[in-house]
Amino acid sequence: MNTPEIYKTVFENLMVPVLLVDMSQVIKCFAEKKILCWADFNTHFPKDSAISEAFQGRIHFVDMNPAILRFFKFQNRIEFENNFFSCFTEETFDAFIVSVFEAFSGNLIFEKNSTIRTSKGQTRIVKLQRIITSSLEEDSAKWIYCFIDYTEQKFIEDSLKISENQCSIFLDESPIPIWHEDFSETKKYLDSLKLSGVIDLNHFFDEHPDELENCGKMIKLLGLNKAGQEFFGINQVDFLETNLNSFFNKGSMRVFKNLLISFSKGNLNFESEISFTGSNGVIKDSIIRLSVPKKHEKDYSLVIGSFMDITERKRSEEILSHYLKIEEITSFISTRFISISPENCEGEILHALEKLGRFYHADISSFTIFSKNHQALLEVYEWAVSPSVSLKQWALTIADFEECFPWCLEQIKLGRVISIRNLSDLKPEAKQEIDWMKANNFQSGLMVPIFYEEEFLASFNLFSKKMVGEVVFEDIGLLRIVGEDIVKLLVRKNAEMGLKESEERYRHIAGENARLLKQAWNDAQMKEILLQEINHRVKNNLSSIVGLLSIEQDFLEKGKKNFEFEILEKFRGRIDALSAVHNLLTKNHWSPLEISEVVRGVFSSSRLISGRKKVSFDISEMSLRISPTQATSLAFIANEIISNSIQHSLKDQKHIEIRFSFEFRDGKAVLTFIDNGGGFPENVLKNEPESLKAGLYLVKILTHNELSGEIFFSNEPGAQIRIVFLPKSVDEVIRVI
């Protein structure tokens, strides 16, 4: 229960009639008419209709407690609001008007004695109190009116002023419990103690409790009115024959001792809270008032007493105090659980169990946790007053728990709370539970099931060797809240521990990965160095081969051996093309190359371009990349096409034009070669057998076998070769098993 709900509970259970009204319209009316005193009021509102004109329709009833309906004897709020001013006497009306005037003077609290009529026509004497809760300048002025009934008190005060004959009549008909007694013998005894040198009566009666009881026996009961007989549950005759001590309990005797001390000092009035036991055995809480009339102040032969029953009020205060304590404990435990670390989890749970155990006067406060299938008892947290009183001694496994609490276990699995105020509350089916409680001298107990994510997971257990009072709903709610907090704490603990283990594991994995990465990096650097060395040696070897071919070619040229010279020239060109693409791949770390870059590299390395002829070489740019294998094949193809054009088709041309263009169409690469020569012979265009020379035949073979493409020959008007193939950016790896 939160704080607003608690205040609402107190408001509704308050014995004093309380009315909360909104006076903003009344204040506005008085301000507009400049009514500040009686003269101003009588000018604007005639006496006969003053109430209806001044207040009705302007006062808004905000709230009221049930006590006000009981006091005015109205059935409901609507009836009260419609007839409230009909209960006003002229005296009440005057007091109500004055409360408004006092408010304008800045007095937040106003109090005046008055009379008022109930809806049944009964006249009651009240103390009218007005409290202002908001500023007069605010739009909504909330005023509290309390109607404190002191009819009975006034009745007693007045009755003491009239004759003794009349007093007996009034006292007997009084609505409050009143009795009178002869205190003279007790007074004589108290005086004798003073004469004997007893100064500290409090210490004396503590040392001699029998003397305190004898003082009670000395009091002679003279009479009890009708309300008193009903209050005590006893008739007049039995009351007169009763010893006053029979109504006293341990708490009452302390109040009686204080009464004797007060009267011994010559005080004529005494008031205190007291609890006593009626003839029916019911303990009641009351306010006792005792007065000695002036005529009897010498011998205390007449003492008049009255009781005001405050049992319900005390009960409300105890409930309120209990609720506040529950809220305090819940807030304390929940706050502690939020900030606790997993390492201190168990200690904090035991601290919470101790706090709850002491609050409920339990000898054992335990928290048992079950597995999800209820086939195992995972953990038992326990606080016990004494190590000899322990649930853990009996229930360490699920089998032990089922042996001690078979019936209770089945009930709490179903979500039922087991409240045992005494052993007789247990059903015959709970034989094992009864035997266990008897064996450990337990008189009461409480078992509350705890659910987490709609599944039974634990139980909160309290056992006491004393009889306990009735457990209210808020107590069960408290234990459930704390129990759920414990479960959440343990879930968080497991999650954090698991996270910590995962962090350690991942930290180890990360360290191992870092080590492997460093090793892989070192290996990669070593491989890079080796690859560079291999590429360097391949390049040197190719250069050596080209050098040897040049020497051989020079020798053949001097010997005029043209056929062998031409063969060497072609081989030399092919090796140059291979060396060019190898250099490009090495430079790009053997990653895919752009098609235009490959063709441009082959052209730059060609030895066939003579300085005697002007050669125009045009290559269109294309960012399409191909794999190292396709790049090598394309280098050979470009070399053969260039060689064929220069050595055969364009050998008589002084100005040579060669164009390479690229495009990407329908997912395929299209490479087109055009020169400015006379074109291909007819038999080449017809694709007749033996029509292609070695160079073009090599181009055709490489296109089909290495590029998986197609080749087309045409004259546009010079020679045109169009090659269509599917580009690959990564070489396929064929695993041979």
Side-chain angles (χ1 to χ4, degrees):
M1 179 180 291
N2 54 39
T3 301
E5 291 175 336
I6 292 173
Y7 291 157
K8 184 68 174 176
T9 302
V10 174
F11 178 77
E12 292 178 350
N13 289 278
L14 201 62
M15 303 294 290
V16 177
V18 179
L19 177 65
L20 179 62
V21 296
D22 185 349
M23 296 289 288
S24 56
Q25 294 300 317
V26 175
I27 295 171
K28 182 178 180 182
C29 172
F30 276 44
E32 290 174 351
K33 297 180 183 296
K34 299 182 179 179
I35 300 173
L36 299 175
C37 61
W38 275 111
D40 299 334
F41 183 86
N42 291 331
T43 301
H44 291 279
F45 300 107
K47 193 72 173 179
D48 296 336
S49 59
I51 294 179
S52 59
E53 290 187 18
F55 295 105
Q56 283 196 320
R58 292 191 175 96
I59 293 181
H60 173 61
F61 297 93
V62 179
D63 202 359
M64 62 188 71
N65 68 345
I68 203 163
L69 297 178
R70 293 196 298 269
F71 176 72
F72 284 93
K73 302 190 183 306
F74 285 115
Q75 297 295 321
N76 51 58
R77 177 169 176 165
I78 296 175
E79 185 180 357
F80 172 86
E81 293 180 2
N82 293 336
N83 299 281
F84 174 63
F85 289 105
S86 66
C87 297
F88 276 33
T89 63
E90 185 174 352
E91 185 181 7
T92 313
F93 173 73
D94 291 344
F96 204 83
I97 293 293
V98 172
S99 74
V100 178
F101 294 156
E102 288 290 316
F104 284 114
S105 299
N107 296 324
L108 299 180
I109 300 177
F110 170 81
E111 185 176 291
K112 186 174 179 61
N113 295 338
S114 182
T115 58
I116 203 161
R117 288 189 299 269
T118 68
S119 64
K120 305 300 182 182
Q122 297 172 333
T123 300
R124 307 294 292 180
I125 302 171
V126 297
K127 183 176 291 183
L128 179 65
Q129 289 183 340
R130 187 264 297 131
I131 303 171
I132 297 178
T133 62
S134 57
S135 172
L136 295 178
E137 286 77 23
E138 295 177 359
D139 292 336
S140 177
K142 302 292 193 322
W143 293 10
I144 296 175
Y145 279 93
C146 301
F147 301 85
I148 302 173
D149 186 4
Y150 76 111
T151 306
E152 287 77 16
Q153 183 178 344
K154 187 71 168 59
F155 186 80
I156 294 174
E157 293 173 355
D158 292 340
S159 67
L160 293 175
K161 298 176 184 178
I162 63 178
S163 66
E164 292 184 2
N165 291 333
Q166 292 174 320
C167 180
S168 61
I169 298 174
F170 283 112
L171 291 178
D172 193 51
E173 297 299 328
S174 173
I176 64 173
I178 300 174
W179 79 95
H180 52 288
E181 60 191 23
D182 184 351
F183 206 83
S184 57
E185 291 298 320
T186 307
K187 183 69 167 64
K188 290 177 183 178
Y189 174 73
L190 295 175
D191 293 340
S192 67
L193 290 176
K194 277 187 178 182
L195 293 173
S196 64
V198 176
I199 299 175
D200 189 348
L201 286 179
N202 185 51
H203 179 71
F204 175 79
F205 285 128
D206 287 342
E207 293 293 325
H208 306 87
D210 294 341
E211 294 300 319
L212 185 62
E213 292 185 11
N214 288 333
C215 287
K217 295 176 182 179
M218 294 177 191
I219 299 173
K220 184 179 180 180
L221 300 175
L222 302 177
L224 180 69
N225 71 348
K226 293 178 181 178
Q229 294 173 34
E230 182 180 349
F231 183 71
F232 283 99
I234 192 173
N235 58 44
Q236 179 80 283
V237 176
D238 293 336
F239 178 76
L240 297 177
E241 296 177 354
T242 301
N243 185 338
L244 188 62
N245 291 339
S246 62
F247 296 111
F248 290 164
N249 53 38
K250 190 174 181 180
S252 308
M253 293 302 291
R254 285 194 296 269
V255 177
F256 181 59
K257 180 179 68 172
N258 293 334
L259 168 66
L260 296 179
I261 295 171
S262 178
F263 278 2
S264 71
K265 295 177 180 178
N267 295 325
L268 301 180
N269 297 289
F270 178 80
E271 180 175 323
S272 177
E273 285 191 13
I274 187 173
S275 64
F276 70 92
T277 307
S279 60
N280 56 3
V282 177
I283 297 177
K284 291 190 175 182
D285 295 301
S286 303
I287 294 177
I288 184 174
R289 295 186 179 96
L290 292 164
S291 299
V292 181
K294 282 284 185 179
K295 292 182 179 180
H296 302 274
E297 62 182 343
K298 290 184 178 181
D299 59 2
Y300 285 61
S301 58
L302 179 63
V303 176
I304 299 175
S306 67
F307 273 110
M308 179 183 292
D309 189 356
I310 60 170
T311 305
E312 291 301 322
R313 192 192 79 185
K314 292 284 287 185
R315 177 60 177 160
S316 297
E317 290 175 352
E318 290 171 359
I319 292 174
L320 176 59
S321 176
H322 189 72
Y323 288 165
L324 290 174
K325 189 65 177 176
I326 287 176
E327 183 178 5
E328 177 190 342
I329 292 175
T330 305
S331 177
F332 175 81
I333 294 176
S334 298
T335 303
R336 298 269 298 188
F337 280 1
I338 290 174
S339 58
I340 197 66
S341 62
E343 295 79 11
N344 300 324
C345 177
E346 182 174 354
E348 202 60 41
I349 291 174
L350 295 178
H351 180 69
L353 293 176
E354 178 182 0
K355 197 170 186 68
L356 289 168
R358 295 192 184 281
F359 178 64
Y360 287 107
H361 308 289
D363 292 279
I364 289 180
S365 174
S366 69
F367 192 77
T368 52
I369 305 174
F370 302 90
S371 62
K372 287 191 175 183
N373 57 8
H374 311 148
Q375 299 300 311
L377 188 62
L378 300 181
E379 188 62 75
V380 177
Y381 294 93
E382 179 186 81
W383 169 84
V385 173
S386 170
S388 60
V389 181
S390 175
L391 184 66
K392 282 189 173 182
Q393 296 178 358
W394 293 80
L396 292 175
T397 66
I398 190 65
D400 298 333
F401 200 91
E402 288 178 338
E403 182 179 349
C404 298
F405 311 101
W407 180 79
C408 288
L409 183 59
E410 290 302 318
Q411 299 302 309
I412 59 177
K413 282 181 182 179
L414 299 174
R416 296 170 183 165
V417 176
I418 308 298
S419 177
I420 310 167
R421 286 183 294 176
N422 54 67
L423 289 177
S424 61
D425 287 347
L426 286 172
K427 296 182 178 181
E429 301 94 297
K431 183 179 181 307
Q432 285 91 328
E433 285 84 350
I434 295 173
D435 293 342
W436 181 84
M437 292 184 69
K438 285 182 177 179
N440 290 274
N441 298 319
F442 288 125
Q443 295 295 319
S444 58
L446 180 66
M447 301 181 76
V448 179
I450 305 299
F451 285 74
Y452 182 72
E453 295 181 349
E454 300 183 354
E455 185 175 4
F456 169 69
L457 212 67
S459 70
F460 220 123
N461 316 299
L462 298 170
F463 291 98
S464 176
K465 293 186 176 182
K466 302 174 184 177
M467 300 284 289
V468 296
E470 183 178 358
V471 178
V472 297
F473 176 78
E474 284 72 18
D475 296 311
I476 297 171
L478 165 64
L479 295 177
R480 278 182 172 155
I481 290 172
V482 175
E484 289 170 1
D485 285 344
I486 291 176
V487 171
K488 291 175 182 177
L489 176 63
L490 294 174
V491 169
R492 179 165 64 88
K493 171 193 172 184
N494 293 336
E496 290 180 2
M497 295 298 289
L499 180 60
K500 188 174 182 181
E501 292 176 1
S502 297
E503 287 177 351
E504 290 294 332
R505 185 168 60 254
Y506 291 141
R507 190 178 291 111
H508 175 74
I509 293 173
E512 183 65 17
N513 287 343
R515 186 188 67 79
L516 294 175
L517 180 62
K518 184 177 181 181
Q519 181 178 340
W521 175 256
N522 293 336
D523 293 345
Q525 286 184 318
M526 181 59 68
K527 290 178 181 179
E528 178 71 16
I529 293 171
L530 293 175
L531 185 60
Q532 289 177 358
E533 181 64 23
I534 292 172
N535 290 333
H536 181 68
R537 294 191 179 189
V538 168
K539 181 178 179 181
N540 289 342
N541 291 338
L542 289 175
S543 298
S544 298
I545 293 172
V546 170
L548 292 174
L549 290 176
S550 297
I551 294 172
E552 188 67 27
Q553 186 178 9
D554 291 341
F555 176 77
L556 292 175
E557 187 176 9
K558 292 177 181 179
K560 306 299 180 180
K561 298 181 180 180
N562 293 332
F563 177 73
E564 291 84 351
F565 178 83
E566 184 178 346
I567 292 175
L568 289 175
E569 183 70 20
K570 288 182 179 180
F571 271 111
R572 186 177 174 186
R574 290 166 186 166
I575 292 173
D576 284 339
L578 179 61
S579 178
V581 74
H582 182 271
N583 290 338
L584 287 174
L585 289 172
T586 301
K587 182 180 178 181
N588 287 276
H589 303 286
W590 291 83
S591 59
L593 298 175
E594 290 185 4
I595 293 178
S596 55
E597 186 180 9
V598 174
V599 175
R600 188 177 291 106
V602 172
F603 177 78
S604 299
S605 66
S606 178
R607 298 171 181 270
L608 299 177
I609 301 175
S610 173
R612 296 188 298 271
K613 294 184 179 181
K614 184 179 180 181
V615 179
S616 297
F617 194 68
D618 181 31
I619 303 175
S620 64
E621 296 295 330
M622 188 177 188
S623 59
L624 181 66
R625 293 180 177 272
I626 57 178
S627 67
T629 300
Q630 286 189 331
T632 302
S633 300
L634 183 61
F636 279 122
I637 291 172
N639 177 73
E640 295 301 327
I641 291 175
I642 294 171
S643 299
N644 183 74
S645 294
I646 293 175
Q647 291 183 348
H648 301 287
S649 301
L650 304 174
K651 62 181 180 179
D652 298 327
Q653 297 282 110
K654 291 184 178 181
H655 181 261
I656 300 174
E657 294 180 3
I658 300 175
R659 286 186 294 132
F660 278 93
S661 64
F662 311 96
E663 59 180 326
F664 191 70
R665 187 190 308 159
D666 297 331
K668 293 184 178 182
V670 180
L671 170 63
T672 304
F673 161 81
I674 301 176
D675 64 20
N676 61 340
F680 292 113
E682 191 67 24
N683 59 346
V684 173
L685 298 178
K686 293 181 179 180
N687 200 20
E688 294 179 357
E690 306 300 333
S691 62
L692 297 178
K693 294 185 178 181
L696 292 181
Y697 181 74
L698 180 60
V699 169
K700 184 176 181 181
I701 294 300
L702 289 172
T703 300
H704 289 165
N705 296 346
E706 299 299 328
L707 299 181
S708 300
E710 297 178 280
I711 187 169
F712 303 94
F713 298 97
S714 62
N715 293 324
E716 295 290 342
Q720 175 176 297
I721 300 175
R722 185 162 55 91
I723 298 173
V724 181
F725 67 97
L726 183 66
K728 296 179 181 179
S729 60
V730 180
D731 287 334
E732 294 181 356
V733 178
I734 302 176
R735 188 183 300 270
V736 179
I737 301 178

